[in-house]
C-alpha cells in the first residue's frame, strides 16, 4: 500500500470527478459529490490541506484504494 498523499480539497474533488463524481451542492466549505454507478455520495471539505484521517475516510467510504486515488491525481 502506498503512502497517503497530502492533497487539498480541490485536488481531491478534481480526482473524484475523473471517476464519475459530480458536485451537487456546497454549504460553506463542504462540497457534496454524487455518482450514479455505483451509487455513492461523499462530502469533501474544501480546505487547503485535507487531514490524513479525513482523506482515508473519504476513500474508504467510496471504496477506493490509496493506489487508485494516487493514479487519479
Amino acid at each position: 500500500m502506498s503512502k497517503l498523499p497530502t492533497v487539498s480539497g480541490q485536488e481531491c474533488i478534481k480526482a473524484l470527478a475523473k471517476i464519475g463524481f459530480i458536485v451537487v451542492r456546497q454549504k460553506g466549505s463542504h462540497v457534496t459529490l454524487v455518482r450514479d454507478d455505483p451509487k455513492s455520495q461523499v462530502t469533501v471539505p474544501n480546505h487547503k490541506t485535507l487531514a490524513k484521517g479525513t482523506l482515508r475516510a473519504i476513500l474508504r467510504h467510496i471504496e477506493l484504494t490509496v493506489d487508485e486515488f494516487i493514479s487519479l491525481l
Side-chain angles (χ1 to χ4, degrees), residues 21-65:
F21 281 91
I22 57 169
V23 175
V24 290
R25 65 182 161 270
Q26 178 174 352
K27 184 168 185 177
S29 65
H30 288 76
V31 180
T32 301
L33 301 104
V34 296
R35 168 175 72 178
D36 288 333
D37 190 33
K39 188 131 178 92
S40 184
Q41 175 180 327
V42 67
T43 301
V44 178
N46 193 8
H47 299 160
K48 286 183 181 179
T49 58
L50 291 180
K52 299 283 186 183
T54 303
L55 181 56
R56 189 168 300 282
I58 290 169
L59 296 179
R60 190 178 311 121
H61 183 75
I62 61 173
E63 299 175 355
L64 196 66
T65 66

Side-chain angles (χ1 to χ4, degrees), residues 1-12:
M1 180 191 288
S2 297
K3 187 176 178 185
L4 201 61
T6 301
V7 296
S8 69
Q10 196 60 41
E11 290 171 330
C12 182

